[in-house]
Amino acid sequence: MNWVVPDEHQIQSSINWLDIAAHQLHTAVAWIDGQDKESPLIIQYRGIAVDDEKSIKWGFHEPRWVCSTKYRPPVGKLTLRFNEPLSTQPSPIVLRFTASPNYCYWDDGGGLIDGNPTLPNIDFKIPIEPQIRRYYLMQPTITCVRVSDSLPIVITSVSISQSRGQWARSVTLEFSSRIDAQRAHNELLLITINGYEFYAIAEQPSASKAFGIETHSSTGRSRTAELSSPYRLPISYTNTVLRSLGGIIGDLLQNTGWTAELSGIPDFSVPAGAFSVGNKSPIDAINEAASQLGCMILADDATRKLTIIPRWPTVPWEMATAVPDLTVHDAVITNYSESVSRNPLCDVVWLRGEQQGISAKVKRTGSAGNIPAADISAQLIVDNQAARIAGTNALADTGDKLNVTLSLPVMVDLPPATPGMLIGIREGAEVFKGTCDSWSIRAIVSDRGDIDIEQSITVIRSIA
């Protein structure tokens, strides 16, 4: 619509075109002379056009890029704590939110139903249990390559182990020749055993010689060793401002290329100056923080990610109704042994912070609370949630324990176990459960080229 002034103006009409009823649109136009004018427009789709006929595009919208700066909440929840006393003075609270950056996504088109629907998170637990067969046919495989350039390294044996108290796996390698040992020294190696990948750094080489025999081997740790000495210098850290537990761990991992998350642990605030470490590597500092809460570290070497979880992800008094992560049966158990350790069963524990913090009493629900465990004093006991986590894991350590050692194969439907897993052991129709305390895998290549692979796990089960 061309006005008297040079500026051009447009009028956009929005019409609902899913029904067949006629629509009438009145457009009011205010001219510069002050008089109001009207321009009526009548449209009918499935009948005779009245006054004017318009062309309306029908069908699914075309693929396109959609860009928006609408707010997208971060992963997790945002907690606002208003802990200042109420004041009648006019002092409003100012909340500042950073504007979201422009975000674009590709819309591949579609009708009334979006071609890219938002699917809900799959949040259900499917236990792993190998099938019972009359016999198992397996073709073991083992390979080793240098990650930097994918150079194959020939090894004759490998042993990998980890327990709940370790933040890195222990690795022992035996090479087929001196050249392979030299190529692997202080290098990141990718070891594949029956399709499952493990990362290791060959750190301490050794050699032995006898008449006609020369053996070269090395010991090392998993990729998590990148966060320890000698790869990282010792650091000293103190939270000079109020920080959450996740924020403190993030500070310790700054500029390392690793990330961390809390699993099964509610995040809580740590007052300024409450937590400090001195002259420790980043992973040792994180392990100290986790140990104060009765937690442990699991590492994903492929994605360089640390996960802080409780030492007892499933406490003994809840195992009866819990779903095991892995269930094994007699058909896949090649060796079984058990032993009993006697410990008093406690139902209450007292905890307190050090320079700052709280004093708390954690009691097992439904118990009398009259048999105390050893008191716990730690820097991070600064919140009720911290006391609950540490106290729960301390009580779970008490009582008589049945230590079961199992030897198992490594198959497609029987993957390597992980410390902290809830393991179910099937005996007939019954399944008793325990927590995986330690795990190891061993692979040996014989002189004839035969490969023998076996994993061993230790399961702790409470019997009191």
Side-chain angles (χ1 to χ4, degrees), residues 30-47:
W31 301 87
I32 62 172
D33 56 4
Q35 298 180 7
D36 293 339
K37 306 294 183 180
E38 291 187 358
S39 175
L41 175 65
I42 302 176
I43 298 176
Q44 187 175 0
Y45 310 133
R46 296 191 178 182

Side-chain angles (χ1 to χ4, degrees), residues 162-180:
Q162 185 182 15
S163 64
R164 287 192 296 171
Q166 292 180 287
W167 45 260
R169 297 188 180 104
S170 300
V171 183
T172 302
L173 297 164
E174 185 173 329
F175 303 96
S176 64
S177 65
R178 176 180 57 85
I179 301 300
D180 288 297

Side-chain angles (χ1 to χ4, degrees), residues 233-244:
L233 295 176
I235 61 174
S236 297
Y237 173 83
T238 301
N239 63 314
T240 56
V241 297
L242 178 70
R243 295 287 281 168
S244 66

